[in-house]
Amino acid sequence: MLLPHQPLQEAVVPSQRISAREQAGPWHSEAVCRRDEAGLFFAPSKEPTAARLSREEAAKRVCARCPVMVECREHALLQPEPYGVWGGLTAAERRVVLARRRRREAELQRSTRIAAAG
């Protein structure tokens, strides 16, 4: 148990695994969307389809110029984030990417088992 005056210990990660960007701070501190309206990235309730598509395209344009788009996308895929535009992908697009990754992983496992058996 930590006492109020004790600092939290940080995990030590081998330096070769930490990128220069990570050493500078968390990826989201560099995200372009931090300067934009959050409403652009998340749907209001009962949003008409045409408005949603337009808003998502505008959000993707913001993502396209973001220096941490890849990190943001990976965060959203690993969490997985169920809503909003993250890393230039909508929630539906992220579900497709995740399904493809699962299929690819399953195929790789099958081919590894076949190679090991043969």
Side-chain angles (χ1 to χ4, degrees), residues 1 5 9 11-13 36 38 42-43 58 65 77 85 94-95 103 113:
M1 179 173 147
H5 63 279
Q9 299 259 334
V12 177
V13 179
D36 288 315
F42 294 94
R65 68 177 198 268
L77 291 167
V85 174
R94 290 192 303 277
R95 285 190 295 274
R103 276 195 305 273
R113 282 194 303 265

Side-chain angles (χ1 to χ4, degrees), residues 2-74:
L2 289 176
L3 297 175
H5 63 279
Q6 290 180 308
L8 291 174
Q9 299 259 334
E10 290 188 28
V12 177
V13 179
S15 61
Q16 70 269 18
R17 299 190 76 187
I18 301 175
S19 71
R21 178 173 283 139
E22 289 172 325
Q23 289 175 356
W27 64 265
H28 48 82
S29 66
E30 296 181 46
V32 173
C33 64
R34 289 177 62 92
R35 297 180 286 279
D36 288 315
E37 185 179 323
L40 187 61
F41 297 91
F42 294 94
S45 62
K46 300 179 184 174
E47 182 179 36
T49 301
R52 178 182 53 81
L53 294 173
S54 177
R55 180 189 49 73
E56 288 174 346
E57 286 305 312
K60 288 178 180 186
R61 286 192 297 275
V62 172
C63 293
R65 68 177 198 268
C66 185
V68 293
M69 182 179 78
V70 173
E71 292 91 335
C72 178
R73 181 178 292 176
E74 284 305 309

